[in-house]
Amino acid sequence: MRTHQDWRAAAAEVVLPTRPFIGGKHVEIGAATFENRNPATGALLGEVADAGAEGVDAAVRAARASFDSGVWSRAGVALRRERMLRFADLLAEHAAELAVLDSLDMGKRVVDAHELDLPFSVGLFRYYAEAIDKINDEVAPTPPGTLGLVRRVPLGVVGAVVPWNYPVDMLAWKVAPAMAAGNSVVLKPAEQSPSSALRIAELAAEAGIPDGVLNVVPGLGETTGRALGLHPDVDVLAFTGSTEVGAYFLQYAGQSNLKQVWLECGGKSPHLVFADAEDLAATAKQTAFGIWFNQGAVCSAHSRVLVQREVHEELVALVAAEAAAYAPGDPLDPAAGMGAIVSAEQTDRIMAYVDGARAAGARLVTGGERVTRDGSDCYVQPTVFDGVDPESALAREEVFGPVLAITPFDTEDQAVALANDTAYGLAASVATGSLSRAHRLAERIHAGTVTVNGVDAFSAWTPFGGFKGSGFGRDLSLHALDKYVGLKTVWINH
């Protein structure tokens, strides 16, 4: 197992790419740049190119050329499968390097990136590679003398915009199914975390993925992201990020070519804890993980705990006791409980919610302080507020940080009403020892995933996505392929 010193040494040796990757190589395009800083120390990692409209146009042209040539889209399933499996192998071989890039860029614990994010991402590329030759077209029941074929065809150029909280994972969630279906991709990573995506594009080329099939354009949202959303030759736009930004991409589609848009947006996931939960201590551990893992920067973070009054005080005490295990520290130190918040701006935003909760009368149980270390104040203690008003900002808005809101309830109906009283519908969880209640609440709670006696369950085999302000469309599972193919009817009279 790598030590703190091992990871620090790896970080000192890593090279952070800074230029767009278009048509199989890094290119010099656009004069604008933006700073990439390590939030754990404030150190400047590099000046990264803001690809902007010029870079996006070059990347889309490269993607279109590769798609129209058929070098990937018509290459056949055997070749795509072989190249994607080789790609996955290279990701696995470079897992430590990619984990360091993500940790330096956005402050997550390097061990989480290495032991969780990278294996899941590698597995996703393998999963979709193996699925390619197992998705069949259909023959429709047409009248005698006719043959009706229903074919699944790649749509063309896929624009993918991914967030900073899981740079490698979110890339895999979009790129793997899009490429498996035969599309060419233009990926915009978050400006806070461009490095791993640019390195992965290099590995794609090394794996034999044809030039132009995977292009990466770093840049700011208002420049590069907007240009990708408005580009008239992008056929599909797949986005993970905030609900606010997701709405912009719907507008961009309407203002340009009516491109398909698939959104996985924000969440304010409730965790319903009933008095009949079989192991309250285990539930508290799950609760702590559900809000403090990855510094709380998880779209489906279970940031609202609704707990039945009979066990309310006990659960609050148990959750507060878990906070010590999540004390923030150097993201390169395996002993750290949490890493750094991605930026000073995001840290300011989190602390504004903490201050607002105090002012609104919620009881601060633990945490609530900003922490300075190694010259950076981008750290926040694991925080719990109890007695949170369901109408308050902390209960209703996505904080995207390690701040938990606890609210007691009395009856099952009240718990369901509180759970569903939200603009979001991404995920929810229920802790109960009653199988009938588990089934009942799984039906009544309006969320894309409902986990019983756990939090935030997902896998490569199950679809992930939400309702309401959390967006539409699904990542993961075979259902994700639906976003990247079109149904073409071929009718033959004979």
Side-chain angles (χ1 to χ4, degrees), residues 306-339:
L306 309 175
V307 55
Q308 200 157 29
R309 204 171 299 275
E310 293 95 310
V311 293
H312 167 234
E313 290 187 7
E314 183 180 359
L315 182 75
V316 170
L318 287 168
V319 173
E322 296 292 326
Y326 290 88
D330 181 356
L332 297 174
D333 184 356
M338 288 193 296

Side-chain angles (χ1 to χ4, degrees), residues 6-86:
D6 294 334
W7 285 117
R8 288 177 66 92
E13 296 177 0
V14 77
V15 176
L16 284 79
T18 60
R19 310 305 299 174
F21 192 92
I22 298 173
K25 62 182 183 297
H26 288 289
V27 298
E28 298 289 333
I29 195 166
T33 62
F34 60 93
E35 291 185 345
N36 181 19
R37 290 190 175 274
N38 180 352
T41 64
L44 180 65
L45 299 171
E47 294 281 347
V48 182
D50 185 352
E54 182 184 3
V56 166
D57 188 61
V60 172
R61 282 189 281 109
R64 177 60 63 192
S66 70
F67 181 80
D68 289 347
S69 74
V71 67
W72 184 254
S73 57
R74 298 193 298 275
V77 295
L79 184 142
R80 295 207 304 272
R81 175 183 177 276
E82 178 265 325
R83 299 289 172 84
M84 286 188 65
L85 288 174
R86 174 59 181 148

Side-chain angles (χ1 to χ4, degrees), residues 460-479:
W461 307 279
T462 52
F464 182 90
F467 305 120
K468 300 192 289 187
S470 293
F472 44 83
R474 293 296 182 264
D475 289 314
L476 305 178
S477 81
L478 296 180
H479 295 283

Side-chain angles (χ1 to χ4, degrees), residues 89-464:
D89 289 344
L90 286 173
L91 292 176
E93 290 173 21
H94 292 266
E97 175 191 0
L98 294 169
V100 168
L101 290 176
D102 278 0
S103 183
L104 292 176
D105 271 2
M106 56 75 58
K108 74 160 57 207
R109 297 198 324 149
V110 70
V111 291
D112 292 336
H114 187 244
E115 297 174 9
L116 298 175
D117 297 5
L118 264 299
F120 191 81
S121 299
V122 169
L124 270 188
F125 273 97
R126 289 176 176 154
Y127 172 80
Y128 286 110
E130 295 290 0
I132 291 173
D133 59 1
K134 300 171 183 67
I135 304 298
N136 301 314
D137 293 336
E138 304 169 19
V139 177
T142 54
T146 66
L147 176 64
L149 305 177
V150 182
R151 302 200 55 222
R152 291 175 173 84
V153 298
L155 291 170
V157 176
V158 173
V161 180
V162 296
W164 49 260
N165 58 331
Y166 288 96
V168 173
D169 259 0
M170 293 297 100
L171 178 152
W173 286 31
K174 308 298 186 190
V175 172
M179 284 179 48
N183 299 283
S184 294
V185 180
V186 177
L187 175 84
K188 183 208 169 292
E191 54 263 38
Q192 298 89 344
S193 55
S195 303
S196 59
L198 291 166
R199 181 68 179 111
I200 286 170
E202 298 173 354
L203 297 176
E206 185 178 338
I209 304 297
D211 294 350
V213 172
L214 178 57
N215 310 275
V216 177
V217 286
L220 305 180
E222 58 267 29
T223 54
T224 303
R226 182 175 184 272
L228 189 58
L230 286 169
H231 201 287
D233 204 27
V234 172
D235 299 293
V236 184
L237 195 293
F239 170 78
T240 292
S242 71
T243 301
E244 178 185 7
V245 176
Y248 282 118
F249 283 106
L250 289 175
Q251 295 176 41
Y252 297 153
Q255 293 165 8
S256 54
N257 61 337
L258 293 181
K259 59 178 63 66
Q260 294 184 32
V261 177
W262 300 104
L263 303 177
E264 193 265 279
C265 296
K268 193 68 181 177
S269 302
H271 185 195
L272 285 65
V273 180
F274 287 86
D276 63 2
E278 292 182 345
D279 187 339
L280 207 60
T283 298
K285 288 183 180 296
Q286 293 162 359
T287 300
F289 178 85
I291 183 58
W292 295 327
F293 179 74
N294 206 46
Q295 301 78 247
V298 182
C299 56
S300 52
H302 286 57
S303 54
R304 291 189 294 149
V305 169
L306 309 175
V307 55
Q308 200 157 29
R309 204 171 299 275
E310 293 95 310
V311 293
H312 167 234
E313 290 187 7
E314 183 180 359
L315 182 75
V316 170
L318 287 168
V319 173
E322 296 292 326
Y326 290 88
D330 181 356
L332 297 174
D333 184 356
M338 288 193 296
I341 306 301
V342 69
S343 66
E345 293 78 11
Q346 180 64 14
T347 311
D348 290 343
R349 184 176 183 273
I350 293 167
M351 293 310 299
Y353 279 104
V354 171
D355 294 341
R358 284 192 175 107
R363 180 174 72 92
L364 179 63
V365 178
T366 189
E369 298 296 329
R370 193 168 187 160
V371 177
T372 299
R373 51 166 295 122
D374 295 330
S376 169
D377 65 353
C378 293
Y379 296 88
V380 175
Q381 293 176 333
T383 299
V384 177
F385 280 98
D386 187 26
V388 176
D389 182 349
E391 298 300 319
S392 67
L394 185 62
R396 305 195 71 82
E397 298 176 15
E398 185 177 38
V399 177
F400 224 60
V403 184
L404 182 65
I406 298 180
T407 302
F409 68 86
D410 294 299
T411 68
E412 181 178 302
D413 284 345
Q414 183 186 14
V416 172
L418 288 169
N420 288 336
D421 184 19
T422 174
Y424 302 104
L426 189 55
S429 58
V430 178
T432 179
S434 167
L435 182 60
S436 60
R437 171 175 279 146
H439 281 290
R440 201 163 54 241
L441 267 63
E443 291 294 321
R444 296 182 66 190
I445 295 173
H446 198 47
T449 298
V450 178
T451 304
V452 177
N453 294 329
V455 293
D456 210 17
F458 64 93
S459 75
W461 307 279
T462 52
F464 182 90

